[in-house]
Amino acid sequence: LIHFYKRLKMPKSKRNKVISLTRVEKKSGIETKQKVVERVRNSVDNYARIFVFKYENFRNFKMKEIRESWNHSKFFIGKNRVMAKALGNEEEEEYNENLHKVSQLLRGECGLLFTNEKTEDVLEYFQNLAEPDFARTGGVCAETVILNEGPLDDFSHAIEPQLRQLGLPTALKKGVVTLLKEHTVCRKGDVLTSEQARILKLLGKQQAEFRLRIIASWANDGSFEILDSVPADDDDDGMNDDGLDEEDDDEDQ
């Protein structure tokens, strides 16, 4: 019995331990930034023109479509300070003539397009680019939306509890979703809450517009031109802390 008890108390064999032989090493921040600098400078060498753009209501899937249409060019969107460092923040350190002027515009929600396309073709494409989409939390209401008292025929009875959770004064009357009183979803200029954004989407009201607005151009002869008014942005450094907002941070197109 004593021998049996000891066998029960024996420690678990270490032979049963599963040891992973793979190890994923995180890229160092400096190494990643240096690769961005190299890619930006290679693009300066290989493309005739750079365009600085501001984006509004950024959407990854829409940007992917543009990259596919412009696969002959390269887009950089992300760490503004890293891109500015690659180009040169001051005249004495700029990578090519007048590139420090491009760097000075890399503030807030912006990016760079490197291309060999003509300026007039670039401007025509992006001036006509406007993709409607649903506004998100924190977006600005583009127009006042007021729902009148009465039946909401576009909604099935199953969604009525969700509408109430979102703040709409609704009830089921004979199986029909009904608004018990007039309700203002949002007013023009309001910063949208998550509930307001959700209601607008359920109503099918698209109040956002994805745009890329070209604000300046640079050519490899050193010429630089402001093409549109430059908004006073805060010192936001872009949307991605690790490099560029590119698909899996691989090629920049």
Side-chain angles (χ1 to χ4, degrees):
L1 284 174
I2 294 173
H3 180 67
F4 179 72
Y5 177 76
K6 285 182 178 179
R7 285 180 61 190
L8 289 178
K9 300 294 285 183
M10 285 177 67
K12 189 176 180 181
S13 173
K14 292 183 180 181
R15 293 179 183 176
N16 294 330
K17 271 190 178 181
V18 177
I19 300 174
S20 174
L21 298 178
T22 61
R23 182 182 174 189
V24 179
E25 294 189 6
K26 189 175 180 182
K27 287 183 181 179
S28 76
I30 295 176
E31 187 180 312
T32 302
K33 290 175 182 177
Q34 186 56 43
K35 286 183 178 179
V36 174
V37 169
E38 290 172 4
R39 293 206 299 267
V40 169
R41 289 180 174 176
N42 284 338
S43 297
V44 173
D45 294 335
N46 294 322
Y47 291 92
R49 279 168 282 280
I50 304 174
F51 292 90
V52 184
F53 60 84
K54 293 284 182 179
Y55 56 82
E56 300 170 12
N57 300 303
F58 191 89
R59 301 290 187 266
N60 280 320
F61 70 96
K62 294 187 184 297
M63 191 64 218
K64 182 178 179 180
E65 292 174 0
I66 296 173
R67 284 193 176 109
E68 290 172 353
S69 298
W70 285 71
N71 58 13
H72 46 67
S73 305
K74 286 189 182 292
F75 288 89
F76 288 85
I77 306 173
K79 267 293 192 185
N80 294 336
R81 289 175 188 163
V82 179
M83 292 191 292
K85 182 69 175 176
L87 299 176
N89 287 302
E90 304 294 337
E91 186 173 357
E92 307 81 56
E93 61 184 34
E94 61 188 11
Y95 185 67
N96 207 328
E97 185 181 358
N98 280 329
L99 279 178
H100 75 283
K101 295 180 180 178
V102 175
S103 294
Q104 290 169 359
L105 297 177
L106 295 177
R107 301 287 185 274
E109 299 178 330
C110 66
L112 297 174
L113 165 63
F114 291 79
T115 185
N116 290 322
E117 297 297 300
K118 295 178 181 178
T119 298
E120 53 267 32
D121 293 336
V122 173
L123 294 179
E124 181 181 3
Y125 179 88
F126 287 101
Q127 283 169 357
N128 293 325
L129 177 72
E131 295 282 347
D133 201 355
F134 295 105
R136 295 179 178 177
T137 303
V140 178
C141 176
E143 63 175 336
T144 299
V145 176
I146 299 175
L147 301 178
N148 295 322
E149 179 183 347
L152 297 174
D153 298 323
D154 293 336
F155 297 113
S156 71
H157 67 280
I159 204 173
E160 193 276 329
Q162 183 182 348
L163 296 176
R164 274 189 284 114
Q165 288 179 349
L166 291 172
L168 291 179
T170 59
L172 283 177
K173 291 189 177 181
K174 298 180 180 180
V176 178
V177 179
T178 304
L179 198 64
L180 301 177
K181 60 180 181 179
E182 183 182 274
H183 180 78
T184 301
V185 177
C186 57
R187 294 190 180 279
K188 185 175 181 179
D190 285 352
V191 175
L192 297 173
T193 64
S194 59
E195 292 79 11
Q196 289 172 318
R198 180 65 180 152
I199 292 170
L200 289 173
K201 188 170 185 177
L202 290 171
L203 292 169
K205 294 188 176 295
Q206 295 182 314
Q207 291 210 1
E209 203 170 51
F210 169 73
R211 283 181 175 275
L212 295 184
R213 185 164 59 86
I214 303 294
I215 61 171
S217 68
W218 176 91
N220 56 9
D221 62 0
S223 59
F224 173 82
E225 184 179 3
I226 296 291
L227 301 171
D228 201 349
S229 58
V230 182
D233 281 321
D234 56 17
D235 197 25
D236 179 24
D237 196 28
M239 62 175 72
N240 188 312
D241 286 338
D242 298 318
L244 301 181
D245 183 55
E246 301 165 326
E247 296 167 328
D248 296 326
D249 200 33
D250 47 23
E251 273 307 304
D252 326 293
Q253 61 193 31

